[in-house]
Amino acid sequence: GQQLNQSPQSMFIQEGEDVSMNCTSSSIFNTWLWYKQDPGEGPVLLIALYKAGELTSNGRLTAQFGITRKDSFLNISASIPSDVGIYFCAGNQGAQKLVFGQGTRLTINP
Amino acid sequence: NAGVTQTPKFQVLKTGQSMTLQCAQDMNHNSMYWYRQDPGMGLRLIYYSASEGTTDKGEVPNGYNVSRLNKREFSLRLESAAPSQTSVYFCASSPTGARGYTFGSGTRLTVV
């Protein structure tokens, strides 16, 4: 099935650093979403993008819907300990379901 | 503010046993989904129900069955559990497939 290639797979950073991760596909997507999963919990929606070129912020998080509609990125500025977790990108191609990336595991050293 | 409720949270099964994972949502969402999460594999869709009365296979449906009991409830059944089905299972719901899902907190299943 269709897959999203998410990178990096893991990140180890210092508190206060900025973080950048991205998601790419060989196919066009109509919607891009970014989720965060805390340990032992289900993913929670962070940002949803519905138009090519759209740039959306949610606090320290900023995400963009790539102009080609085949990619998206998520930036986190000035990371804090509670940013630790797994971040997933997801995309929709007009069907009734989302396709998810493999996830980026973020670890922060205080 | 319950959202999506999954039961049980943890389960250990012996190979060949059967069980049903329950999921209920109170947001009046039309669509419901079952995913499994394995290390390094992300979230893989098992089955989904776009609306009450319909179900469709996802990426990894083998060994599973589902029932959309009503608009609120969507259950996942393992008829004869296998060790390869050891995973964390997530139920999710959405107003429509194009919008963001709301996930439950998961069921951690171990098959020995």
Side-chain angles (χ1 to χ4, degrees):
Chain A
Q2 177 62 48
Q3 288 189 335
L4 298 180
N5 299 310
Q6 188 171 347
S7 65
Q9 290 188 348
S10 60
M11 303 183 73
F12 298 85
I13 64 170
Q14 297 294 123
E15 183 177 350
E17 288 184 9
D18 296 341
V19 172
S20 183
M21 60 190 78
N22 66 76
C23 207
T24 62
S25 173
S26 57
S27 301
I28 289 173
F29 282 81
N30 299 327
T31 304
W32 286 94
L33 305 105
W34 286 92
Y35 286 83
K36 183 195 176 196
Q37 183 180 27
D38 291 326
E41 298 294 329
V44 173
L45 182 64
L46 297 174
I47 293 178
L49 303 157
Y50 300 109
K51 292 173 58 177
E54 180 180 356
L55 183 71
T56 298
S57 294
N58 178 6
R60 294 177 295 106
L61 278 62
T62 301
Q64 185 159 28
F65 191 143
I67 196 70
T68 65
R69 298 168 63 191
K70 294 181 179 181
D71 60 356
S72 178
F73 73 75
L74 175 71
N75 288 341
I76 306 172
S77 63
S79 59
I80 60 178
S82 62
D83 291 333
V84 165
I86 303 175
Y87 291 80
F88 290 100
C89 63
N92 180 272
Q93 295 177 296
Q96 287 293 328
K97 55 189 185 295
L98 296 176
V99 176
F100 284 83
Q102 304 96 319
T104 295
R105 184 180 295 273
L106 179 63
T107 303
I108 298 176
N109 299 317
Chain B
N1 292 340
V4 177
T5 302
Q6 289 184 239
T7 56
K9 291 189 180 301
F10 301 93
Q11 184 72 49
V12 178
L13 289 178
K14 294 182 179 180
T15 297
Q17 287 185 320
S18 62
M19 80 161 295
T20 299
L21 281 64
Q22 306 286 353
C23 176
Q25 53 94 6
D26 62 1
M27 297 170 286
N28 201 35
H29 285 172
N30 290 316
S31 303
M32 297 186 73
Y33 309 83
W34 277 105
Y35 284 85
R36 61 178 288 174
Q37 184 178 25
D38 303 294
M41 301 293 289
L43 292 157
R44 293 185 293 170
L45 182 64
I46 305 171
Y47 271 93
Y48 68 104
S49 171
S51 61
E52 185 179 358
T54 69
T55 61
D56 287 284
K57 295 179 180 179
E59 183 183 355
V60 288
N62 292 343
Y64 306 95
N65 285 302
V66 290
S67 296
R68 183 75 182 265
L69 303 172
N70 47 55
K71 191 171 186 178
R72 290 187 64 248
E73 298 173 287
F74 189 39
S75 63
L76 178 71
R77 183 162 178 84
L78 287 70
E79 291 291 351
S80 179
S84 61
Q85 294 177 306
T86 294
S87 188
V88 182
Y89 291 85
F90 287 100
C91 177
S93 71
S94 172
T96 68
R99 300 291 170 171
Y101 296 174
T102 299
F103 282 88
S105 57
T107 295
R108 187 175 295 276
L109 176 66
T110 302
V111 183
V112 297

